[in-house]
């Protein structure tokens, strides 16, 4: 059974940093693109970042470029998102998601999400 | 970036109704479109991919159509479990974007 379990969320002040993690199980992580999608309270879904199976290609939404970094450790079955220079508008539930087996860009499995709150 | 516009934003319907949700792309995305269902407090769940392909395990009352810039998600006979928010997502480019969502409410 495919499972994605996020951790690392919490309350942080504006300008602060946080590192989110996603532990993957039930499939071979090293063969899949992976991504992060976020959802601000009461709002819609926003794609944040994707990374290729080997970690050599990364893509980001413009609003987080230069502040967030996606990475992976296939040996430890884990995906990460480093959040720096956090802003109030980064407050959201952050979902880890697996890109489809055809590597075209839709998400076939999602974690339960971890809440990041940026507030003073 | 490609903008995705869904309509309506809210839809009131009854059990048994046929429901159609529209998603428009700001430029052609061929059929690189997925649909998701999300219930309160839960992660999204994929329903359709490549515009009209039903994901495994999704009931056949869901169907998708369209290409280019205009797409629809249809629920042929709305069931109690279908009251949720629906999102479209384009994956024509590496910069992925979602529609704003359509909330299907009980009439």
């Amino acid at each position: 059974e495919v499972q994605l379990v996020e951790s690392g969320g919490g309350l942080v002040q504006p300008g602060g940093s946080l590192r989110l993690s996603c532990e993957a199980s039930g499939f071979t992580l090293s063969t899949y693109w992976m991504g992060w999608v976020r959802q601000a309270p009461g709002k819609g879904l926003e794609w944040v970042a994707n990374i290729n199976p080997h970690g050599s290609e990364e893509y980001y939404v413009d609003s987080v470029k230069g502040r967030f970094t996606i990475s992976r450790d296939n040996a430890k079955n884990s995906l990460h998102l480093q959040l720096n220079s956090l802003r109030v508008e980064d407050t959201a539930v952050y979902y880890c998601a697996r890109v489809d087996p055809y590597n075209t860009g839709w998400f076939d499995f999602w974690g339960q999400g971890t809440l990041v709150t940026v507030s003073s | 970036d490609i903008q995705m516009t869904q309509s309506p934003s809210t839809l009131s319907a009854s059990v048994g109704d046929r429901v159609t949700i529209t998603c428009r792309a700001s430029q052609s995305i061929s059929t690189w479109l997925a649909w998701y269902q999300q219930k309160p407090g839960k992660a999204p769940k994929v329903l359709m991919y490549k515009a009209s392909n039903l994901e495994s395990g999704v009931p056949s009352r869901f169907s998708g159509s369209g290409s280019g810039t205009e797409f629809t998600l249809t629920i042929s006979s709305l069931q109690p479990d279908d009251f949720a928010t629906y999102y479209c997502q384009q994956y024509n480019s590496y910069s992925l974007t979602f529609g704003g969502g359509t909330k299907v409410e009980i009439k």
Side-chain angles (χ1 to χ4, degrees), chain B residues 22-93:
Chain B
T22 297
C23 179
R24 289 187 174 87
S26 60
Q27 66 188 72
S28 178
I29 58 170
S30 183
T31 55
W32 302 118
L33 186 97
W35 288 97
Y36 300 87
Q37 177 193 67
Q38 187 181 34
K39 295 181 179 179
K42 300 293 186 181
K45 168 192 167 185
V46 65
L47 301 173
M48 315 284 308
Y49 61 93
K50 211 165 185 297
S52 60
N53 290 267
L54 196 67
E55 172 69 335
S56 176
V58 175
S60 59
R61 62 181 180 272
F62 291 93
S63 63
S65 65
S67 66
T69 62
E70 189 148 338
F71 302 86
T72 58
L73 174 71
T74 299
I75 309 172
S76 61
S77 177
L78 199 64
Q79 298 302 301
D81 191 49
D82 301 337
F83 291 97
T85 300
Y86 294 84
Y87 295 93
C88 61
Q89 177 228 329
Q90 68 79 21
Y91 48 101
N92 181 72
S93 70

Side-chain angles (χ1 to χ4, degrees), chain A residues 84-103:
Chain A
N84 295 333
S85 302
L86 280 161
R87 304 168 181 168
V88 170
E89 55 266 33
D90 295 319
T91 294
V93 173
Y94 284 73
Y95 294 101
C96 162
R98 190 180 84 169
V99 176
D100 68 275
Y102 319 105
N103 292 330

Side-chain angles (χ1 to χ4, degrees), chain A residues 33 37 39 43-45 47 50 59 62 95 102 104-108 110-111, chain B residues 1 32 34 36 38 42-44 46 49 55 87 89 91 94-96 98 100:
Chain A
W33 282 73
V37 176
Q39 186 170 36
K43 302 297 184 183
L45 302 170
W47 168 74
N50 274 12
Y59 299 91
D62 284 348
Y95 294 101
Y102 319 105
T104 57
W106 53 278
F107 298 104
D108 65 347
W110 298 62
Chain B
D1 287 356
W32 302 118
Y36 300 87
Q38 187 181 34
K42 300 293 186 181
V46 65
Y49 61 93
E55 172 69 335
Y87 295 93
Q89 177 228 329
Y91 48 101
Y94 283 116
S95 184
L96 311 176
F98 289 87

